[in-house]
Amino acid sequence: MNCSILIYKNNKFYAKKTLKQIKNGTYIYKWSNIEAGSYFFELEDEKGTVHGITYNHTAPFATDFEAVAEENTPPKSITGFQNGIDILVSYIPNKKLFMLSKKKFFRMRLDIADFGLEKADTIEISGNFNNWTPEEEPVHHMDGTIYEVVLAIPEGVYEYKYLIDGKWFPENENKKLIIGENGALFHAGDIGTGKFSYETIDKNIDLKAIVHNYKSLRYFNKLSDREYEFTIRTQANDVERAFISIVLHEEDNYEMIYELERFKDNTNGFDYFKRIIDFGRKVEKISYFFVLEDGGVKAYFNGDLSYKKPKRISVRTSRDDIEIFSIPEWSKEAVWYNIFPDRFYNGNPYNDPIFNEFGPEAYKINELHENGFIERYKWNKNNNLYGKFDRNRWTADFSRQVTWEKLGEQGINYSLKYARMYGGDLEGIKKKIPYLKDLGVNAVWLNPVFFSYQNHKYGANDFRHISPDFGTIRTSGEKHDVEIGKNNKYGNKSYIDVLGKNAVNSSELKLLEVNLKGENKGKNGFGETADPSTWVWTESDLIMADLIKEFHKNGIRVIFDGVFNHSSDRHWTFNMVMADGENSEYKEWYKFNDFSQYVPVTDSMSDEQAYETMIENKKRIKYNAWAGFNSLPEFNTFNQQYKEYIFNITRKWMYGPDGETKENWQEDDGIDGWRLDVPNCLENQNFWLEWREVVKESKPDSYITAELWGNASGDINGGNKFDTVMNYEWLKTVIGFFINQSKEGGDKYKLKATDFFNELREKRTWYPFQSLQASQNLNGSHDTDRLYSRIVNDGIGRNLEEGKQLEKGYNGIRPDLASNYHPNTTVNWRDSEIKPKDILKLISIFQMTYIGAPMLFYGDEAGMWGATDPYCRKPMLWEEFMYDNEKNPSYINQGEEYPQIRDNDLYQWYKKLIKIRRENRVLVYGKFKELVADNEREIIAYERANEGRSIITAINNSFSDCVGIEIQTDYPNEKYMDLIRGNIVKTSSTGKMKIELKAKQGTILKRWINGSNINGMKMFRY
């Protein structure tokens, strides 16, 4: 079968390319040096049948993107293409699977004359990169005897041969291929010989096996004024031990020598020796060299290898001299709580939404609700698709529909649950601050809060303001104890100053809408434009500032969700383009392609006519939209005016109404940082470099975390983009060890104890240590299923991407009732003595004692369950409410019906563990040391230790009780306290302790210390 791919860029035909079939039935195309843009694709077979490439998930195109090819289906746009990248396009017809994978193609030249040949009919390449299966596709004839080989394989060392017209070349040996900087470029290491591998085998290659560069964060990393991480690279298995010799004061030449710890890079064939050293005080200059020992031979390294003591590397530690990656200390000590505001708590029913993301156009007026908050002419413009709007009842079974859902789902094959509104708001969050404080969390991430009709707010109508359904729709004339700075450059007036006597009983929904015509064209009811000098603090803004202040007073940091890749199609600037067309000053803020059907809005029109014309223009005008959703138009992130707008939005919410950063953060009324949504989708990745400067200048102690689902070292390790990531990769490893049950390879494979430690160790090498400390080690999020439910869906494996767990295949029952009649569930939890909650508790022990900042998704601590969006976004379970019974929502079920109950035992468990985390800073700053990895009994143990403090965590991940677990410590004849159960464990004269653990249980053991000094050392942080 012949197959072609039709490529469309920015809604216009771009190219047609032929896919080549390889021997496993897959069709591929290697697409090189991509141009940035928004693309969609079609596949055309030899009969001329066209299949549109579409998808039903919202996972960003980070490294890989999966979609399906559907006949007679319009394609959906895909974003996330940056300039210069290479992409491997794959199509598997029998699965209708279409895949895009970001790669870096490797090209090499083949001259068949080197094999004594003048011509060839077929040339195939075979190697250990393709299981020695000869393939013709990578080989392309250039000219004469010259061919080019294009391989889409990762960095590494490979062997290969050519099969030319049925004969192997070279005949009696394999050729070696080295991609990237790899240990195979150097002489193999041989520990114990006293010889150090240093030069490359090929003398024409100017590389060295032993590397240290103090100008690179990878090798010289300043963690704080007193704490530094040192790294040196060597050939793998070449050096027995490595040390660093340091002098801080050259006048006294007092030498300090520290041994370094080995980290193996098996992928690239190197060893990295590392050590974090706390000097106990501020250090302004460090002089050092490395000492390498092998086979009784000692060598030194200061940038060059020598066998005599060399001159020391001398480094001043100021920002002018070295790369400094500053991440706030508070973010390392954070225990995060992620709040989805619409589903957390409804504190003010009077501001409940009166419609949803479909807008008033889709609904009849509901006379039982407030309906005068918007103009009457905006209602019922779309042939009354949904009847009258009503919010969903907080305590109902999630499967229960209100009338508009029932009407709207007629004739469609998907659920509208995603568009529900429940009425959670800022006042509700404020009322529950005592709850959060009692739980022990000290940092909150709020899902988007900016003005939007959506429940999730990931498509903003206006970044300048908080959504009225979260704050207040009806204005009250109150300032909510918030002071506005007269010199605030990002808003020095309140809504009261602007509205005067109309500051009471006005509608924020009306006031926030932009005027499409007339003398106030381009301004909203507050007179605002893109110019920050016109900006006003609405009452909803002030309610948010009051909430931020209340969080801060209670010792809780707060960050916003920044969604700067796209807006909603109701954003005020987008509406102005719909009104003004190509003449709009905001046209270049977005990616428009075709205005040929545009109808202008004129001053002669009535307000209703102007509104209707603007709405219809959204169907007539063509533009790029995120993930193919026309309701989410993408910004042109290269546009300077757009950038300034976002920069000023950032400053507004970081400075807060008073317009300044307080020295005492607990008195500050601005946010503490940002979580960034799909940041890798921005075509202009340099935007983030500029934006980071804005953030850190506004508030030096601010925090930036990014939604990056894979290895994000390229976005983190420069120290000039994001501080850290939402650590989905940590969660994948956790699922692999604690949840998976399969012995077969792949996503469902259950990691052994050694596998678990090895994977964690590898992922710790991805980022600088301070970034690891601040990474959000999450149970899940609004984009994944609940961890509690994932435990009983082990058949899914560790694949987290949205849309991979289709509703029909998920076991959505309350987890303690799950049984293995469901194909996703291996264990009969319903009849098991071990319950899913025991697994969740076990994971929480690891979460609270590992490197990184633990994060709960609202309700994790209450035992909430559910599949991916929208089921992970159910209303919070509160003790004060009576909830309806839930019917098992799984398509495969036995008719179960059961109470929706809050798990207060689980709440107390999380409260205890959070307390342990926060009271023992060694769990934040301590080194991580593996102690036990017992594959047969599924036992792991590890230590977090620093400056004499020691906490040992032991975990029994098996379904059997284990006795006689021996753990070797560095402390003979000492006591350890079990922080969970309160009992004492003693070590022997050799430092060994012996413990027992019941099935699926763990323990946290703290070294018992009397007094403030440990082994004569002065304690600093602990």
Side-chain angles (χ1 to χ4, degrees):
M1 181 181 82
N2 294 323
C3 188
S4 298
I5 182 171
L6 307 175
I7 304 172
Y8 298 82
K9 178 188 174 190
N10 298 336
N11 288 318
K12 296 179 181 178
F13 178 76
Y14 181 70
K16 181 177 181 178
K17 299 292 182 180
T18 300
L19 298 178
K20 290 192 175 182
Q21 186 177 11
I22 57 179
K23 294 192 175 180
N24 63 2
T26 299
Y27 289 79
I28 67 171
Y29 168 61
K30 291 171 181 167
W31 188 11
S32 301
N33 198 23
I34 307 299
E35 294 179 0
S38 173
Y39 290 87
F40 64 80
F41 306 92
E42 294 175 330
L43 295 176
E44 183 180 74
D45 63 23
E46 56 193 2
K47 298 178 181 178
T49 304
V50 174
H51 297 74
I53 302 303
T54 185
Y55 49 94
N56 63 356
H57 61 82
T58 58
F61 184 16
T63 54
D64 300 285
F65 192 93
E66 290 192 7
V68 292
E70 295 284 1
E71 188 175 346
N72 300 321
T73 300
K76 292 179 69 173
S77 292
I78 302 173
T79 59
F81 296 83
Q82 286 89 35
N83 274 323
I85 61 174
D86 296 334
I87 290 181
L88 177 65
V89 180
S90 305
Y91 173 50
I92 305 175
N94 62 349
K95 296 182 179 180
K96 297 184 178 180
L97 183 61
F98 177 87
M99 291 182 292
L100 301 172
S101 300
K102 292 180 182 178
K103 303 282 187 180
K104 187 63 182 176
F105 296 155
F106 178 79
R107 293 171 170 80
M108 61 183 180
R109 182 174 174 273
L110 165 65
D111 188 348
I112 61 173
D114 293 342
F115 301 129
L117 302 174
E118 295 182 358
K119 65 177 183 176
D121 293 325
T122 61
I123 301 179
E124 298 172 289
I125 188 170
S126 174
N128 57 356
F129 46 77
N130 63 1
N131 294 318
W132 292 101
T133 302
E135 291 181 338
E136 188 177 359
E137 183 280 328
V139 186
H140 308 277
H141 186 220
M142 302 298 288
D143 184 52
T145 60
I146 306 299
Y147 293 77
E148 183 184 48
V149 183
V150 183
L151 297 173
I153 55 179
E155 291 186 358
V157 180
Y158 304 94
E159 292 187 350
Y160 68 99
K161 298 172 80 79
Y162 293 107
L163 185 63
I164 305 178
D165 293 336
K167 186 176 181 181
W168 290 105
F169 294 91
E171 294 186 43
N172 300 316
E173 62 179 347
N174 297 332
K175 292 178 74 68
K176 181 174 280 191
L177 172 64
I178 301 171
I179 300 178
E181 195 164 337
N182 195 283
L185 293 167
F186 307 93
H187 296 284
D190 192 1
I191 283 182
T193 62
K195 297 179 181 179
F196 298 95
S197 178
Y198 188 51
E199 303 286 351
T200 54
I201 297 171
D202 183 346
K203 299 301 182 183
N204 294 317
I205 299 176
D206 186 21
L207 295 172
K208 299 291 186 289
I210 303 173
V211 175
H212 171 80
N213 177 10
Y214 73 85
K215 294 182 179 180
S216 168
L217 275 174
R218 184 169 193 173
Y219 295 101
F220 189 98
N221 182 12
K222 181 177 181 178
L223 303 177
S224 69
D225 283 342
R226 46 180 271 181
E227 196 171 25
Y228 294 78
E229 181 181 33
F230 299 90
T231 302
I232 185 172
R233 188 191 81 183
T234 71
Q235 173 67 299
N237 303 313
D238 190 47
V239 177
E240 287 179 328
R241 301 172 76 184
F243 304 82
I244 187 169
S245 168
I246 297 175
V247 170
L248 298 181
H249 299 287
E250 294 179 351
E251 59 272 15
D252 58 23
N253 205 33
Y254 178 74
E255 183 182 30
M256 297 173 286
I257 298 177
Y258 302 86
E259 185 165 7
L260 310 181
E261 181 182 2
R262 185 193 308 266
F263 286 77
K264 300 194 73 65
D265 177 2
N266 292 317
T267 301
N268 296 305
F270 293 115
D271 286 343
Y272 288 88
F273 290 87
K274 295 172 174 284
R275 178 74 180 248
I276 295 173
I277 301 173
D278 189 337
F279 295 108
R281 57 181 176 78
K282 183 176 181 180
V283 175
E284 296 181 347
K285 184 180 179 182
I286 302 175
S287 300
Y288 63 98
F289 56 71
F290 294 94
V291 183
L292 309 177
E293 290 186 358
D294 185 70
V297 177
K298 190 177 290 186
Y300 302 88
F301 190 79
N302 67 347
D304 294 309
L305 186 69
S306 66
Y307 294 89
K308 295 181 180 179
K309 279 192 177 183
K311 181 180 179 181
R312 296 182 184 274
I313 304 168
S314 188
V315 179
R316 294 198 171 274
T317 62
S318 70
R319 188 174 294 275
D320 293 335
D321 298 291
I322 59 171
E323 289 186 4
I324 295 180
F325 190 10
S326 296
I327 296 177
E329 294 296 304
W330 67 261
S331 67
K332 304 170 188 176
E333 299 174 9
V335 178
W336 287 97
Y337 194 86
N338 174 202
I339 294 176
F340 194 90
D342 183 62
R343 309 295 162 84
F344 189 61
Y345 191 72
N346 188 346
N348 179 14
Y350 198 67
N351 72 351
D352 285 354
I354 58 175
F355 49 80
N356 63 3
E357 64 182 81
F358 305 139
E361 304 88 16
Y363 296 97
K364 283 184 177 180
I365 291 177
N366 190 337
E367 300 293 351
L368 296 177
H369 293 180
E370 289 283 355
N371 55 71
F373 286 145
I374 63 164
E375 295 81 0
R376 287 186 77 86
Y377 66 74
K378 293 184 178 180
W379 292 100
N380 195 16
K381 295 291 185 184
N382 297 341
N383 300 319
N384 187 27
L385 291 175
Y386 303 112
K388 297 177 181 179
F389 178 79
D390 219 339
R391 71 167 176 80
N392 292 73
R393 180 162 55 88
W394 197 277
T395 56
D397 181 350
F398 199 70
S399 64
R400 181 166 182 167
Q401 296 173 304
V402 293
T403 303
W404 72 261
E405 290 179 272
K406 295 175 184 178
L407 292 172
E409 290 181 13
Q410 294 176 4
I412 63 174
N413 61 357
Y414 56 92
S415 169
L416 296 177
K417 291 182 178 71
Y418 70 88
R420 289 175 171 179
M421 309 294 277
Y422 280 88
D425 50 36
L426 303 185
E427 189 171 334
I429 296 172
K430 184 177 179 180
K431 287 179 177 178
K432 291 300 181 180
I433 287 178
Y435 169 87
L436 298 173
K437 192 171 183 180
D438 181 69
L439 179 60
V441 299
N442 59 358
V444 164
W445 156 38
L446 297 174
N447 287 104
V449 292
F450 297 128
F451 176 36
S452 172
Y453 290 171
Q454 303 158 337
N455 60 53
H456 51 75
K457 314 295 187 204
Y458 277 96
N461 298 3
D462 194 335
F463 293 108
R464 295 171 298 191
H465 299 299
I466 301 301
S467 205
D469 56 306
F470 283 174
T472 184
I473 300 176
R474 181 186 66 86
T475 60
S476 69
E478 297 292 327
K479 290 187 67 174
H480 300 276
D481 296 321
V482 175
E483 295 298 324
I484 299 174
K486 292 183 178 180
N487 296 318
N488 188 341
K489 297 178 181 178
Y490 312 100
N492 61 5
K493 300 182 290 290
S494 76
Y495 75 103
I496 301 171
D497 299 324
V498 174
L499 299 180
K501 63 181 181 180
N502 293 323
V504 178
N505 290 335
S506 286
S507 167
E508 275 197 10
L509 282 176
K510 286 183 179 179
L511 289 164
L512 289 176
E513 290 299 323
V514 68
N515 291 294
L516 302 176
K517 62 187 187 65
E519 62 179 343
N520 290 317
K521 180 179 178 179
K523 299 178 182 179
N524 61 18
F526 297 107
E528 295 176 304
T529 67
D531 182 353
S533 68
T534 68
W535 292 357
V536 174
W537 293 89
T538 67
E539 185 167 6
S540 291
D541 295 348
L542 298 179
I543 290 171
M544 172 57 82
D546 176 59
L547 176 63
I548 294 168
K549 288 170 61 179
E550 195 65 24
F551 269 131
H552 286 170
K553 286 177 188 175
N554 284 275
I556 299 173
R557 300 275 187 167
V558 59
I559 66 172
F560 277 4
D561 205 320
V563 190
F564 302 142
N565 176 72
H566 53 266
S567 70
S568 80
D569 65 344
R570 298 176 185 270
H571 193 275
W572 67 275
T573 57
F574 191 81
N575 283 349
M576 288 311 302
V577 182
M578 296 301 101
D580 290 344
E582 290 188 272
N583 295 323
S584 172
E585 62 181 300
Y586 304 113
K587 175 198 166 192
E588 299 302 325
W589 285 34
Y590 294 92
K591 304 170 186 175
F592 292 103
N593 304 306
D594 184 0
F595 283 90
S596 62
Q597 302 300 313
Y598 159 73
V599 175
V601 170
T602 65
D603 286 349
S604 63
M605 290 179 174
S606 67
D607 289 343
E608 182 173 3
Q609 289 171 329
Y611 184 75
E612 290 173 345
T613 303
M614 182 265 292
I615 292 293
E616 289 303 311
N617 275 339
K618 293 178 183 180
K619 303 172 186 176
R620 302 181 184 117
I621 296 172
K622 305 298 182 185
Y623 53 89
N624 292 357
W626 183 75
F629 296 109
N630 284 338
S631 60
L632 300 174
E634 280 199 316
F635 284 120
N636 171 17
T637 52
F638 291 95
N639 180 267
Q640 190 60 38
Q641 287 72 38
Y642 153 79
K643 290 196 294 182
E644 285 301 319
Y645 171 68
I646 296 300
F647 295 164
N648 288 328
I649 294 293
T650 302
R651 295 179 181 111
K652 169 178 176 170
W653 289 106
M654 298 201 72
Y655 286 126
D658 65 10
E660 60 184 20
T661 298
K662 291 287 199 302
E663 187 173 341
N664 179 359
W665 71 271
Q666 291 190 266
E667 298 174 355
D668 201 278
D669 60 1
I671 60 171
D672 300 288
W674 298 83
R675 177 266 186 188
L676 297 174
D677 185 65
V678 294
N680 52 330
C681 283
L682 270 71
E683 290 179 18
N684 179 15
Q685 286 294 299
N686 288 333
F687 169 88
W688 296 121
L689 309 185
E690 299 176 66
W691 183 80
R692 179 185 177 87
E693 293 296 319
V694 171
V695 171
K696 297 296 182 177
E697 287 174 4
S698 301
K699 191 168 287 184
D701 206 26
S702 57
Y703 171 75
I704 304 170
T705 185
E707 181 203 6
L708 298 167
W709 289 62
N711 179 347
S713 55
D715 292 305
I716 301 297
N717 294 358
N720 59 351
K721 203 171 186 182
F722 315 126
D723 289 340
T724 191
V725 295
M726 297 174 66
N727 206 348
Y728 285 110
E729 286 296 325
W730 174 88
L731 181 56
K732 290 179 186 177
T733 305
V734 163
I735 292 170
F737 181 62
F738 290 100
I739 296 177
N740 281 2
Q741 301 295 332
S742 176
K743 293 182 179 180
E744 298 180 5
D747 285 340
K748 301 177 185 180
Y749 171 69
K750 180 176 180 58
L751 297 177
K752 297 182 176 67
T754 50
D755 296 332
F756 182 57
F757 274 154
N758 287 340
E759 191 168 308
L760 290 171
R761 176 174 271 256
E762 177 188 348
K763 290 179 177 180
R764 289 201 303 275
T765 67
W766 289 358
Y767 308 119
F769 188 70
Q770 62 269 50
S771 186
L772 289 171
Q773 290 175 304
S775 63
Q776 293 172 312
N777 291 346
L778 68 168
N779 282 352
S781 72
H782 62 286
D783 284 331
T784 70
D785 50 346
R786 292 274 181 176
L787 184 59
Y788 198 14
S789 284
R790 176 60 70 110
I791 291 167
V792 303
N793 282 270
D794 60 276
I796 290 174
R798 57 199 283 175
N799 192 334
L800 292 175
E801 287 188 15
E802 208 178 353
K804 301 298 171 63
Q805 314 138 28
L806 298 180
E807 184 178 349
K808 295 181 180 180
Y810 199 86
N811 193 352
I813 196 171
R814 200 178 76 197
D816 60 306
L817 301 176
S819 179
N820 56 1
Y821 75 78
H822 194 287
N824 269 3
T825 307
T826 301
V827 178
N828 182 8
W829 297 102
R830 185 164 58 195
D831 299 328
S832 172
E833 289 186 14
I834 304 295
K835 296 297 181 185
K837 182 168 71 172
D838 297 316
I839 314 302
L840 189 59
K841 286 183 173 181
L842 199 63
I843 292 171
S844 68
I845 290 175
F846 176 67
Q847 181 185 33
M848 296 294 168
T849 56
Y850 188 63
I851 302 167
M855 182 160 73
L856 305 184
F857 187 40
Y858 79 96
D860 284 345
E861 77 287 1
M864 289 183 67
W865 65 93
T868 308
D869 171 28
Y871 299 94
C872 59
R873 305 179 187 183
K874 295 177 185 177
M876 176 72 170
L877 292 173
W878 292 110
E879 189 74 20
E880 65 209 71
F881 297 147
M882 292 179 61
Y883 292 82
D884 296 352
N885 285 350
E886 180 178 84
K887 294 179 181 179
N888 185 354
S890 312
Y891 277 68
I892 300 172
N893 66 74
Q894 295 181 344
E896 298 95 336
E897 185 173 334
Y898 41 86
Q900 297 185 80
I901 51 176
R902 177 182 171 84
D903 193 327
N904 288 319
D905 169 70
L906 193 58
Y907 173 85
Q908 293 299 328
W909 171 264
Y910 271 106
K911 179 178 175 179
K912 175 186 282 189
L913 280 153
I914 290 170
K915 187 172 186 287
I916 290 171
R917 172 84 182 186
R918 292 191 60 189
E919 288 182 349
N920 294 277
R921 294 175 59 169
V922 68
L923 295 175
V924 176
Y925 297 102
K927 297 174 183 176
F928 182 88
K929 182 180 180 182
E930 302 161 11
L931 299 177
V932 176
D934 187 331
N935 290 338
E936 186 174 337
R937 296 196 294 174
E938 295 186 58
I939 301 291
I940 61 168
Y942 53 89
E943 181 184 36
R944 301 297 305 279
N946 212 346
E947 298 179 335
R949 299 281 182 180
S950 169
I951 288 184
I952 292 173
T953 302
I955 288 173
N956 175 9
N957 193 36
S958 76
F959 282 89
S960 303
D961 297 348
C962 288
V963 298
I965 302 168
E966 292 188 347
I967 302 173
Q968 182 65 53
T969 79
D970 294 327
Y971 305 103
N973 300 316
E974 299 240 11
K975 297 177 183 177
Y976 278 76
M977 174 177 280
D978 185 332
L979 296 180
I980 295 177
R981 298 167 188 85
N983 56 298
I984 298 294
V985 178
K986 296 181 179 179
T987 62
S988 69
S989 59
T990 61
K992 190 172 291 185
M993 69 168 67
K994 188 176 289 188
I995 63 172
E996 57 186 55
L997 288 172
K998 292 189 177 299
K1000 298 295 181 181
Q1001 287 194 5
T1003 184
I1004 303 172
L1005 305 171
K1006 179 179 180 179
R1007 184 184 174 208
W1008 185 273
I1009 301 171
N1010 292 315
S1012 59
N1013 291 333
I1014 302 173
N1015 296 341
M1017 292 191 297
K1018 184 179 179 181
M1019 297 306 297
F1020 295 108
R1021 297 180 178 169
Y1022 300 89

